[in-house]
Amino acid sequence: SSGINAEYGLDANGILSVSAMDKRSGNRKVIKIKNDKGRLTEEEIGAMIKSAKKLDKIGQIQQQGRKGKSNVRQIMGGPSSSSPVLQQIEAPDNVYNDPE
């Protein structure tokens, strides 16, 4: 049998307690390991997931917009067409240029 008796415990807050006692000398040491350094909280993780889902949805919408622009270009006669509709579609995203 070992000369050291070790005990482990985990509390409801995620704190791990480890104690060790030397059976011969009776010396006992206890350490606590907390889960709080450099870790994200559940709220922070939830916010990051929500943000990622939002950015993914925005990316999908932008991709659909690019596909739509491409389809209109093909219908309107290609990129060299001087149609006001095509010029509006070719404007940068989120910018409205009134052709009048």
Side-chain angles (χ1 to χ4, degrees), residues 1 22 24-25 28 33 40 43 48 52 57 60 80 83 87 90-91 99:
S1 123
D22 184 334
R24 291 188 187 120
S25 68
R28 181 180 169 107
I33 302 170
L40 298 172
E43 292 81 20
M48 291 174 76
K57 186 67 173 172
Q60 290 173 8
S80 62
S83 162
Q87 290 173 4
E90 295 297 333

Side-chain angles (χ1 to χ4, degrees), residues 40-56:
L40 298 172
T41 65
E42 286 187 37
E43 292 81 20
E44 290 170 321
I45 292 169
M48 291 174 76
I49 291 171
K50 184 177 178 182
S51 178
K53 287 180 179 179
K54 182 178 178 181
L55 290 173
D56 182 52

Side-chain angles (χ1 to χ4, degrees), residues 77-98:
S80 62
S81 173
S82 61
S83 162
V85 173
L86 188 57
Q87 290 173 4
Q88 183 63 41
I89 289 171
E90 295 297 333
D93 291 340
N94 301 323
V95 175
Y96 175 75
N97 293 321
D98 191 351

